[in-house]
Amino acid sequence: MTTVAIDFGTSNTVISILETDTQLPKSLRFPDLSRLFVGVFDQAQRSEIPVIPSLIFIKSHKEVILGEGVRSQRLGLSQSSPPERLFKKFKRDLAGDYQSPPRQIDGINYDATAISELFIKTVWTEIKKQNIQPEHLVFTVPVGAFERYLDWFRDLGAKLNVPQVSIIDESTAAALGYALKHPDALILVIDFGGGTLDISLVRTVGNSHPNGNLRAEVLAKSEAYVGGEDIDVWIVEDYLRSQNLTAEQLGKIAYQNLLEIAEKLKIQLSNNQSVTESWFDDESFMSYELNITREKLEEILENRQFLQQLRDALDDVLGMALRKGINKNDIEQVLLVGGSSLIPAVQQLIKSYFGKNKVKLNKPFDAVCHGALAVREFTEINDFLRHSYAIRLWDSHSRTYTYHRLFTQGTKYPCESEAWLNLQVANNGQTEVHLDIGELGDMTQTEIAFDASGRMTSSILQHQETYRSLDSQHQKVCVAKLNPPGEPGFDRISVFFYVDSHRTLLASVKDLLTGEMLVDRAEVYKLR
C-alpha cells in the first residue's frame, strides 16, 4: 500500500512517501513547483530539502502557477502580474472562522476554500505524474485545528478518491517519526512554522507483539496562532515606521516586494549577525535599503510578544505534564521543527528551558511530513480534545450567549456523555429541534502600545474564549424531526453524545413522546 503524507503549511508544503525498496521516508521534488532548502542542521550532513512554497498565481481561468514557479518569476510583484492575482497565507484563512471576501478574477470568485483546494488538487496531479498511486493519504494539521477545518480535509480526501484518509497533529506526527527509531521515549516536539506554533508531548510504548507495532499517548499539547509570516509583516512595519511611511503610501506592489525582502533577510539572520538588502521601486522610481540585525529582530519579537507566546505555550504544556506526574527533567528529547525554529532567539529560549544537550534540530522542514508516514506503524494513538464541544444558548435576560458543555477540553477520546440530555421545544407545533453546536477554544490576541513619539514600546497578550460552529454556514444543526409536532412545557427529546476515535461528534436521539429512536450514533453536523 502506497502512503502519501501532505504537510500543508502556511509558508511551505511538503509531500512525502515511503520508498518501496528501503521503506524510508522521502520528500518528493516537483519540476517548477519545488524549492530546495539547503543547510546543515545540528552539525549533521548537508541536506537538500524540497518544499513547495504555498503560493498560487491565477494567470487565467485555465492556467494557474504554483510554488517556486511563482517565486522564480516574481509573480504578483509588478504591473504585468498584479498582486490581486497572487494568493498566499490561504491556509490561515481556511482555518479562520470568518474568511475574507472572495476575490473576483476573470469573472470567477476565489476564496480561501477554493484556492486551497485548487492548490492541493494541482499538487495531487503532479504526484500522479510520478507514477504514484496513493491508497492512504495522511494530512497534518495544527494542534488547535477546529472540527470544520478537519472536515474540509476529510471531504477533500473523498474528492481525491483515496481509499483511506488519516489526519494527525503536526507536532504529534514529528514525535511519531522520531519514535520509530527510539521506542519507549518521552518526546517534546516544538513545531514553529509560518502560521502556527504547535507543541506536543508524546510518550511511545514498544509493543511486544511480533509485528513490532507501537502505541503512543499524547500527554499534553498547546498552540499559538503566530509564525514566520507574522515576523515578515512586523519587519516591514518596523521599517516603514522608521521611514515615516505607510503601506498605503508605498502601494500594493512595493509592499509585496518589501515582504519578500523581509522574508529573505529573516532567513539570512539565522547565519549572520547583520544583513542588508537594497531594492528599486519601478513605480515610484525610488531606491530603498533595509538593514536589520539579530538584536533588532529580537527586539521586534519581544515587543510583539512572539517569544512570550512561546513561553506561555511551553508553560501550558509543562503544567499539563506536571499534573500527570511528569517533570520537565523526565523529557528525553526536545525536537525543534518548522522554519521559524531556525531563528536563533527561538533556539536560545528553548535551550534555556531544557538544556542544550536535549534540544535537537536536524529535520526542520520535513520532520512533520516524514513522521506522518509513521501513523500506520502505530496500533493505537491515545489523544485528547484540545477544544470543548458545547451547545450555544441565548440568554434573553443578560442578552449574551451561554454555553452548555458536552465534553470539556482535555477529555480523552473516544468518549461518551455521562447522561442523556433532555430538551424541550420552544414553539407550539414545532416539527424540528435545532441546536447551535460547536467548539470552544482559547485564542490569544496581541494589543500593541506606542509611546508619545509613535515608537512601539510593548504589546499585551489578551486571552479570550472563541466559539466555532460545527456548521460552515453557521446554521443550527437539526438533531431531530418530530411527528407529531412538539408542544412547549415538557421534555420532548433526549440526546446522548459521543466522540469517536476520529474526534467526530456523534449523537443518538430518542423521542420521549413516542419512544422512537430518531437517530442512532450519527454525525452531528451531517444530521438533516
Side-chain angles (χ1 to χ4, degrees):
M1 180 174 69
T2 303
T3 302
V4 173
I6 298 181
D7 179 21
F8 178 34
T10 302
S11 301
N12 297 292
T13 295
V14 181
I15 316 293
S16 298
I17 63 167
L18 287 175
E19 291 192 278
T20 305
D21 50 349
T22 65
Q23 287 300 293
L24 293 175
K26 171 188 175 182
S27 295
L28 299 179
R29 183 176 179 180
F30 303 95
D32 303 322
L33 268 64
S34 296
R35 171 189 187 186
L36 285 181
F37 271 103
V38 181
V40 178
F41 308 111
D42 264 354
Q43 299 181 346
Q45 65 183 20
R46 184 174 181 271
S47 301
E48 292 186 350
I49 303 122
V51 303
I52 303 173
S54 298
L55 303 169
I56 187 167
F57 186 84
I58 307 297
K59 195 166 186 180
S60 71
H61 71 280
K62 293 183 178 180
E63 183 180 4
V64 298
I65 301 173
L66 264 66
E68 184 60 16
V70 178
R71 291 185 73 261
S72 61
Q73 299 178 53
R74 296 183 55 78
L75 299 176
L77 301 176
S78 66
Q79 292 287 0
S80 59
S81 60
E84 290 79 12
R85 291 178 175 265
L86 171 66
F87 291 85
K88 57 193 301 187
K89 296 190 289 189
F90 40 88
K91 175 193 172 181
R92 263 191 170 180
D93 292 337
L94 177 68
D97 194 30
Y98 296 98
Q99 299 178 4
S100 302
R103 288 187 231 168
Q104 189 174 84
I105 301 174
D106 300 331
I108 300 174
N109 287 329
Y110 295 93
D111 58 11
T113 301
I115 284 294
S116 298
E117 184 170 321
L118 181 59
F119 182 86
I120 297 294
K121 283 185 172 180
T122 304
V123 171
W124 192 253
T125 301
E126 295 300 315
I127 294 173
K128 293 292 190 71
K129 287 181 180 178
Q130 296 195 10
N131 294 320
I132 298 170
Q133 298 297 325
E135 297 176 30
H136 185 191
L137 172 59
V138 185
F139 286 114
T140 65
V141 297
V143 160
F146 286 84
E147 190 64 41
R148 286 204 335 251
Y149 182 71
L150 305 186
D151 202 37
W152 182 84
F153 282 102
R154 296 184 189 109
D155 290 343
L156 179 59
K159 292 177 182 178
L160 296 175
N161 199 28
V162 187
Q164 182 180 356
V165 177
S166 301
I167 299 174
I168 187 170
D169 294 338
E170 292 163 356
S171 47
T172 302
L176 298 185
Y178 178 85
L180 280 182
K181 294 182 179 180
H182 306 84
D184 301 307
L186 183 61
I187 311 152
L188 182 73
V189 174
I190 301 169
D191 179 10
F192 224 152
T196 56
L197 161 67
D198 288 341
I199 304 179
S200 288
L201 178 63
V202 179
R203 174 185 282 137
T204 58
V205 180
N207 197 326
S208 59
H209 194 277
N211 63 17
N213 285 340
L214 298 165
R215 290 182 292 113
E217 181 181 7
V218 182
L219 299 167
K221 54 187 177 182
S222 187
E223 82 288 334
Y225 292 90
V226 64
E229 296 278 354
D230 299 297
I231 299 174
D232 302 339
V233 173
W234 298 338
I235 291 172
V236 169
E237 289 180 350
D238 183 80
Y239 171 76
L240 292 178
R241 274 196 301 274
S242 71
Q243 303 297 313
N244 293 317
L245 289 171
T246 65
E248 290 74 19
Q249 290 173 319
L250 203 62
K252 289 183 179 180
I253 293 175
Y255 185 77
Q256 289 296 331
N257 274 287
L258 202 50
L259 280 175
E260 187 180 68
I261 289 172
E263 181 193 21
K264 185 185 301 183
L265 295 180
K266 177 190 67 180
I267 294 170
Q268 292 173 1
L269 281 176
S270 297
N271 298 309
N272 300 279
Q273 293 292 331
S274 177
V275 288
T276 302
E277 186 82 18
S278 301
W279 62 287
F280 182 75
D281 184 359
D282 294 331
E283 289 184 285
S284 64
F285 302 106
M286 294 284 293
S287 295
Y288 298 89
E289 182 177 273
L290 203 164
N291 172 268
I292 188 169
T293 64
R294 277 194 188 179
E295 183 180 6
K296 179 61 178 176
L297 178 59
E298 290 177 19
E299 177 187 320
I300 292 172
L301 297 182
E302 282 288 6
N303 284 337
R304 292 285 186 163
Q305 297 289 307
F306 180 85
L307 296 177
Q308 186 58 49
Q309 290 189 66
L310 173 55
R311 296 186 193 101
D312 288 350
L314 284 169
D315 291 342
D316 188 24
V317 165
L318 293 175
M320 282 188 264
L322 191 59
R323 289 191 290 274
K324 295 180 179 180
I326 300 170
N327 191 281
K328 181 172 70 173
N329 294 330
D330 296 330
I331 298 171
E332 299 166 40
Q333 290 291 333
V334 179
L335 307 182
L336 286 179
V337 300
S340 296
S341 67
L342 297 174
I343 298 172
V346 171
Q347 295 181 33
Q348 291 165 12
L349 192 155
I350 303 301
K351 290 174 182 177
S352 72
Y353 264 69
F354 302 99
K356 182 179 179 181
N357 292 334
K358 285 188 177 181
V359 180
K360 302 297 180 185
L361 174 73
N362 52 11
K363 295 176 70 174
F365 296 105
D366 51 8
V368 169
C369 202
H370 287 186
L373 294 169
V375 167
R376 68 178 192 169
E377 303 295 333
F378 285 79
T379 56
E380 186 179 354
I381 301 175
N382 295 320
D383 206 344
F384 61 87
L385 297 177
R386 183 59 189 157
H387 307 125
S388 299
Y389 282 108
I391 300 174
R392 183 166 65 170
L393 306 168
W394 177 254
D395 188 329
S396 57
H397 295 289
S398 63
R399 301 189 65 80
T400 58
Y401 284 110
T402 60
Y403 301 96
H404 175 82
R405 280 172 170 77
L406 304 173
F407 298 97
T408 58
Q409 174 186 354
T411 302
K412 286 189 176 182
Y413 60 87
C415 53
E416 59 183 41
S417 302
E418 293 183 359
W420 288 78
L421 175 65
N422 292 342
L423 300 170
Q424 301 181 5
V425 298
N427 305 303
N428 192 34
Q430 189 171 324
T431 58
E432 294 183 346
V433 177
H434 293 259
L435 297 177
D436 188 352
I437 301 177
E439 293 173 276
L440 284 168
D442 295 322
M443 302 287 284
T444 301
Q445 292 183 328
T446 305
E447 183 178 300
I448 304 167
F450 297 90
D451 61 18
S453 64
R455 184 180 60 188
M456 183 173 62
T457 57
S458 65
S459 55
I460 303 169
L461 288 179
Q462 296 182 331
H463 299 273
Q464 64 180 21
E465 196 170 53
T466 184
Y467 176 82
R468 297 283 179 88
S469 171
L470 290 178
D471 191 287
S472 60
Q473 303 302 316
H474 304 279
Q475 301 293 319
K476 292 183 178 181
V477 176
C478 176
V479 296
K481 295 181 182 295
L482 304 179
N483 185 21
E487 297 179 9
F490 63 93
D491 294 340
R492 177 57 191 270
I493 65 168
S494 192
V495 189
F496 196 85
F497 292 96
Y498 317 80
V499 178
D500 68 10
S501 59
H502 300 293
R503 211 191 81 176
T504 303
L505 184 64
L506 313 172
S508 294
V509 184
K510 288 192 297 188
D511 190 326
L512 296 176
L513 179 63
T514 66
E516 181 185 357
M517 181 68 77
L518 303 177
V519 175
D520 186 16
R521 294 182 68 96
E523 292 187 24
V524 164
Y525 48 91
K526 291 185 179 178
L527 298 180
R528 292 293 183 264

